[in-house]
């Protein structure tokens, strides 16, 4: 029976948020209308951002073990609700029988044309540059937080969500959004799956926030409904 | 690498609630402190309550496929955040290498001595009687909802949560709790994992509610921390 494969645990709260969004987006009146899914929730995968920056162990072997586990469970598609992991997208795709949906592609598709756009992500994901490449391919100008004053607020937001303190994370994110709003940003891409968990506790200053978790969930539901996995 | 195995999807929102509770109960400051977990979210399993009552197809083969999938993923324990499925606990345990924690045992352990106690569950779970047996083993008197006036409110609560309408479900549960409170009940066991999702939208009339999802999550975290799976 084919189903959705989720490589999660990075972090675990973000995986739960992804699943909650996926369930809410599925048109269903009873259990049996929902989409089958196998979730490999593997929080012990080494820190992705640190590894990209050359400051920590390589997470690729752990990520590949997760991909293997999902493929052995006969999943028909794989999704990874962790943006930074997509630094290794090519290697993971090469080792997966099931196609892997790319979170940045799902997310950037929903960015409107025009409007100053800022990408919030881990330092590793920004250094990797896959969001910037997707945006450039669509002809969208992008900016990223100032490294000294703003990026530490993004780092702290992410750390606090991972530590189970979403309200405090929301206050940091709100400060970050105030900076962005102050310099004329109109669209903010939450290109880290911890950020939406903080955003629900923040005044977003009227900015248009694009939620990478939600957009990956939408793409996943579209894929699975098109494949008819709700009628297995 | 041993980890927690979750046989879920019955329903999917209840599985997400279980995972959220498990993540929140885990002492963690960063991703790597959390507990690894494989989740087989299989909403297409035929309706458990209907089958127990002889009104629908047997879910046991589907449940066993889920147990097999988890055992093939090297889980060290299995939990099933669906009460009615525990009607087949003996058969599932016999076919699982990993032990299966019993949701009713986890839950009944937290029922206080004394205090009139009412069990809310599907008609199938009540007919099966495993909650009543656990309570009797502890010497706790129990009652169940009146079949004509009250049980239909429980049925509707469960149906509405499964249909993605937790607020409306909360109104039905609140009516049920008003009946229970009116006849002197003090403790209510939410012996169906959809009920806690409705309870957060209900006035609970000062009743002590025991949440089977939360108690299974507690037992699971205790088991996994004791096994040291947060340090794999």
């Amino acid at each position: 029976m084919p189903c959705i494969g989720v490589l999660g645990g990075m972090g675990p709260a973000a995986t739960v948020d992804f699943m909650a969004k996926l369930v809410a987006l599925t048109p269903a009146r009873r259990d049996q209308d929902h989409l089958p899914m196998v979730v490999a929730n593997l929080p012990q995968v080494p820190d992705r951002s640190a590894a990209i920056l050359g400051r920590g162990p390589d997470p690729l072997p752990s990520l590949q073990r997760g991909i293997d586990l999902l493929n052995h469970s006969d999943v028909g598609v794989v999704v990874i609700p962790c943006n930074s992991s997509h630094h290794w997208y090519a290697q993971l795709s090469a080792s997966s029988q099931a196609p892997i949906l790319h979170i940045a592609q799902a997310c950037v598709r929903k960015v409107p044309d025009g409007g100053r756009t800022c990408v919030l992500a881990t330092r590793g994901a920004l250094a990797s540059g896959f969001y910037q490449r997707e945006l450039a391919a669509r002809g969208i100008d992008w900016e990223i937080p100032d490294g000294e004053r703003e990026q530490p607020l993004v780092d702290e937001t992410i750390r606090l969500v991972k530590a189970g303190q979403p309200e405090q994370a929301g206050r940091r994110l709100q400060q970050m959004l105030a900076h962005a709003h102050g310099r004329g940003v109109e669209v903010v891409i939450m290109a880290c799956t911890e950020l939406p968990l903080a955003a629900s506790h923040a005044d977003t200053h009227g900015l248009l926030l694009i939620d990478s978790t939600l957009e990956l969930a939408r793409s996943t539901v579209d894929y699975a409904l098109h494949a008819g996995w709700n009628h297995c």
Side-chain angles (χ1 to χ4, degrees), chain A:
Chain A
M1 183 191 70
C3 69
I4 298 162
V6 181
L7 179 53
M10 302 170 279
T15 294
V16 171
D17 184 40
F18 171 78
M19 291 173 69
K21 284 166 175 163
L22 191 151
V23 169
L25 286 166
T26 305
R29 287 177 46 221
R30 47 181 203 136
D31 289 355
Q32 291 77 16
D33 299 332
H34 277 278
L35 293 163
M37 176 161 53
V38 176
V39 184
N41 195 75
L42 306 178
Q44 274 74 33
V45 174
D47 187 279
R48 285 68 62 196
S49 182
I52 296 169
L53 300 171
R55 297 182 201 146
D58 184 5
L60 185 56
S62 299
L63 292 168
Q64 265 165 337
R65 272 199 295 277
I67 295 289
D68 288 349
L69 185 155
L70 294 173
N71 278 282
H72 284 135
S73 301
D74 284 334
V75 302
V77 71
V78 169
V79 291
I80 312 172
C82 164
N83 285 277
S84 303
S85 296
H86 287 70
H87 177 69
W88 293 274
Y89 179 81
Q91 294 97 314
L92 295 175
S93 286
S95 68
S96 179
Q97 259 192 291
I100 306 178
L101 303 187
H102 196 301
I103 194 169
Q105 287 169 6
C107 190
V108 168
R109 209 175 288 144
K110 297 302 175 77
V111 176
D113 288 316
R116 278 180 67 179
T117 300
C118 183
V119 183
L120 305 191
T122 63
R123 289 174 193 258
L126 292 177
S128 177
F130 53 87
Y131 264 91
Q132 295 95 315
R133 285 193 291 278
E134 286 296 328
L135 287 161
R138 271 204 50 206
I140 295 171
D141 288 335
W142 50 265
E143 49 197 90
I144 61 174
D146 161 58
E148 301 227 333
R149 201 181 45 161
E150 297 178 353
Q151 186 63 35
L153 291 169
V154 179
D155 300 342
E156 268 296 281
T157 303
I158 296 167
R159 187 188 69 75
L160 286 164
V161 170
K162 287 183 184 289
Q165 301 176 55
E167 294 87 356
Q168 284 167 264
R171 288 202 285 277
R172 302 300 194 290
L173 181 61
Q174 186 168 320
Q175 283 178 270
M176 171 64 226
L177 296 176
H179 284 300
H181 182 253
R183 66 164 187 273
V185 166
E186 294 157 280
V187 179
V188 169
I189 303 179
M190 295 191 287
C192 168
T193 54
E194 266 73 37
L195 297 175
L197 292 160
S200 48
H201 301 280
D203 172 357
T204 56
H205 296 279
L207 292 160
L208 174 62
L209 302 190
I210 310 281
D211 174 344
S212 58
T213 311
L214 179 64
E215 298 311 335
L216 183 64
R218 271 197 233 279
S219 291
T220 308
V221 169
D222 288 350
Y223 191 101
L225 290 180
H226 186 77
W229 294 341
N230 52 336
H231 300 300
C232 286

